[in-house]
Amino acid sequence: MSDETGRTRKQKADERKAARTAAEDAAAREDLERIYTHIVSRAPEHDVEPTIDDRVGRLLELLGDPQRTFRVIHLTGTNGKSSTARMAERLVREHGLRTGLFTSPHLSSVTERIQVDGEPLDAVRFVEVWNDVHPYIQVVDAELEAEGKSPLHFFEVLTAMAFAAFADNPVDVAVLEVGMGGTWDCTNTADGDVAVITPVSVDHEKWLGSSPAQIATVKAGIIKPGATALTAAQRPDVDEVLAERAAEVGARLLREDVDLEVLDRKVAVGGQLVALRTPAATYTEVLVPLHGAHQAHNALLALGAVEQLLGGRALDGGVVETAFADVAVPGRLELVRSSPTVLVDVAHNPHGAEALVAALDEAFTLRTVVGVVGIMADKDAEGLLAALEPGLSQVVLTRNSSERSADPFAVAEIARDVFGEDRVHVTERLDEALQVATNLVEADDVVGVGTGTGVVVTGSVITVADARILLGRG
């Protein structure tokens, strides 16, 4: 057999293998779509029941309690959870440990929510996990129905799938972001070695309470006996709630501005250089490739959490620098297009909007910014718009793809009181809103396309997800 014939046969074999792989992937993607359609047909994650023991706890018991097979960093708070979780996961992974990451919500695919070693489950693996867990879901659904209760919800199913995937790989450490609250959140079936509480403000009032202190009482539930808890700088009433919970369960409490501190930060190409003080060490000239003061504080919490997980010792500076420099958090003041500049940010409450405006002013030299805003009907539209107003020249209100999206014409009535009649525009469709905003910034740009002007899309994770797809980033 000649070399040429051998190569030809090998090429043909490789082509057949590639074709089989492509067919398997296509079939898996079809299965994934079918499974996701089924999961979302269940009660959605925003329609929660404040109980875990007789629902997710029962499912996990049937699965062999996979949440007991790995160590846990558990995060709650109102804003900053996903960014902090991604930074903590990346830092743990840089230490050579196998990691699981569970965050919510997703931008493009549900598979983003469950990651192993920094990679989302692919369609094939997601389907495999579902097939493993589904028979047990059916058992629990039947038991709940017999008791006159609703079947397992969307987020309950995903949480169990994440734990099963992590146990099966297996991972050494799982970084878990709560879906909502803390005490009765599905993820709280796992016991965090380290609990992280990012800034607490008012959001999800229907379920969590109408004041920061009430909300903190629910979020404090992730602080477990004997754990270490790290908390961002909080209001005094929130601090008091968290301190009481830590004392009650015998947990160690580390507080920002007391035990941890952002010593310095300065804008750098692609993000910011920060100096961070933890109980174990001071880390200087660390690049965080994310914009805004809030991301420096998120980095501080992530660093402190990993220190505590690894025994409270100082971490190698080179390892910290390498890990943080590699962090990516889609949808957080993310540049998705230039000429003109288009940024997307998932701010969906007043606290998040304030952080967005501050970061825009600091990190981008934009004279004129037009906002494309689509919010959910159950959110504080007036508070969100009031927080955005100082950073936006004009606003284009629109609707996102969710059935929960607020009517943009109703939101416009509120926006006119905040911005004034002449600064408010409305259109039903997001693609049209992007075009209106682009036209507005280009009309204002007297120097050249994209010079000193930009568009920021915000108001909801769904709005950002839709925009990323329209702009080729989904």
Side-chain angles (χ1 to χ4, degrees):
M1 180 180 70
S2 68
D3 288 344
E4 183 177 351
T5 302
R7 283 195 299 271
T8 301
R9 288 179 178 174
K10 184 178 186 305
Q11 287 170 351
K12 289 181 178 179
D14 288 344
E15 289 170 358
R16 287 194 296 271
K17 181 178 179 181
R20 286 196 301 271
T21 301
E24 290 169 358
D25 287 345
R29 285 193 294 272
E30 288 183 6
D31 286 343
L32 172 61
E33 188 61 33
R34 173 182 55 79
I35 291 166
Y36 182 60
T37 299
H38 167 77
I39 296 174
V40 297
S41 72
R42 295 168 175 267
E45 56 195 314
H46 64 272
D47 184 14
V48 297
E49 291 190 30
T51 176
I52 56 175
D53 292 337
D54 60 346
R55 301 177 64 84
V56 180
R58 172 58 175 154
L59 175 57
L60 294 174
E61 178 186 25
L62 292 174
L63 291 169
D65 284 322
Q67 78 281 11
R68 309 293 183 204
T69 64
F70 41 76
R71 301 188 68 195
V72 171
I73 296 176
H74 201 182
L75 300 98
T76 190
T78 303
N79 292 301
K81 296 185 295 296
S82 290
S83 297
T84 307
R86 285 175 178 265
M87 286 188 259
E89 182 278 333
R90 184 64 188 85
L91 186 51
V92 171
R93 182 159 36 98
E94 192 63 24
H95 281 84
L97 297 171
R98 192 165 177 80
T99 61
L101 176 65
F102 184 51
T103 59
S104 63
H106 61 272
L107 287 173
S108 300
S109 170
V110 67
T111 60
E112 298 168 20
R113 298 181 181 226
I114 305 173
Q115 299 188 21
V116 174
D117 276 349
E119 293 294 331
L121 299 187
D122 60 24
V124 172
R125 182 64 186 132
F126 190 94
V127 172
E128 289 174 349
V129 174
W130 167 259
N131 289 337
D132 288 343
V133 173
H134 186 224
Y136 303 97
I137 292 173
Q138 291 177 306
V139 170
V140 176
D141 280 346
E143 292 177 353
L144 291 170
E145 182 180 3
E147 297 171 5
K149 299 176 181 178
S150 64
L152 290 164
H153 296 179
F154 173 90
F155 192 71
E156 293 171 328
V157 168
L158 280 183
T159 300
M161 288 181 65
F163 291 167
F166 297 160
D168 191 50
N169 269 278
V171 305
D172 300 304
V173 178
V175 181
L176 309 177
E177 175 188 347
V178 303
M180 187 186 299
T183 301
W184 39 258
D185 187 77
C186 308
T187 60
N188 208 30
T189 49
D191 292 329
D193 300 83
V194 179
V196 178
I197 301 92
T198 66
V200 175
S201 58
V202 176
D203 200 7
H204 302 298
E205 296 98 316
K206 178 180 176 181
W207 297 276
L208 303 181
S210 58
S211 72
Q214 288 178 325
I215 293 169
T217 300
V218 179
K219 294 184 182 294
I222 74 164
I223 303 175
K224 298 296 181 67
T228 298
L230 296 92
T231 175
Q234 308 282 3
R235 293 163 43 112
D237 52 349
V238 170
D239 259 337
E240 183 178 351
V241 169
L242 299 178
E244 287 177 355
R245 169 65 181 181
E248 176 187 344
V249 299
R252 182 186 181 203
L253 182 64
L254 301 176
R255 295 180 295 162
E256 185 175 0
D257 294 335
V258 177
D259 306 289
L260 311 99
E261 185 179 7
V262 176
L263 296 174
D264 188 34
R265 50 181 299 273
K266 53 190 174 186
V267 176
V269 175
Q272 56 191 306
L273 286 173
V274 300
L276 307 174
R277 176 181 66 83
T278 68
T282 296
Y283 305 81
T284 60
E285 297 291 302
V286 177
L287 175 65
V288 175
L290 302 167
H291 301 291
H294 60 294
Q295 295 291 11
H297 293 276
N298 291 338
L300 176 68
L301 290 175
L303 177 58
V306 175
E307 269 191 358
Q308 294 304 310
L309 183 83
L310 299 181
R313 61 180 174 84
L315 306 181
D316 180 88
V319 171
V320 173
E321 290 173 6
T322 299
F324 278 176
D326 190 46
V327 169
V329 188
R332 276 68 177 179
L333 208 54
E334 178 188 11
L335 178 65
V336 294
R337 178 172 289 183
S338 55
S339 297
T341 297
V342 180
L343 302 152
V344 296
D345 190 89
V346 298
H348 57 277
N349 54 41
H351 184 269
E354 289 170 1
L356 165 59
V357 168
L360 269 174
D361 181 61
E362 176 183 84
F364 296 89
T365 55
L366 298 174
R367 180 186 68 256
T368 300
V369 179
V370 175
V372 173
V373 180
I375 70 173
M376 295 302 198
D378 60 345
K379 295 298 180 180
D380 177 9
E382 183 175 6
L384 178 68
L385 292 168
L388 289 173
E389 189 275 335
L392 303 180
S393 303
Q394 302 187 67
V395 63
V396 184
L397 300 166
T398 190
R399 191 188 298 274
N400 62 42
S401 60
S402 171
E403 62 183 18
R404 295 169 51 226
S405 184
D407 177 359
F409 292 94
V411 176
E413 294 300 313
I414 301 171
R416 291 186 183 101
D417 289 337
V418 175
F419 284 83
E421 183 80 28
D422 295 341
R423 296 169 63 196
V424 177
H425 310 266
V426 191
T427 179
E428 282 273 356
R429 290 174 40 176
L430 180 57
D431 57 344
E432 294 176 351
L434 287 167
Q435 188 59 58
V436 170
T438 298
N439 293 343
L440 288 168
V441 296
E442 289 179 350
D444 186 71
D445 193 353
V446 296
V447 180
V449 175
T451 304
T453 61
V455 175
V456 60
V457 183
T458 190
S460 165
V461 173
I462 303 297
T463 305
V464 166
D466 293 345
R468 292 179 88 252
I469 291 170
L470 286 171
L471 296 167
R473 292 297 186 99

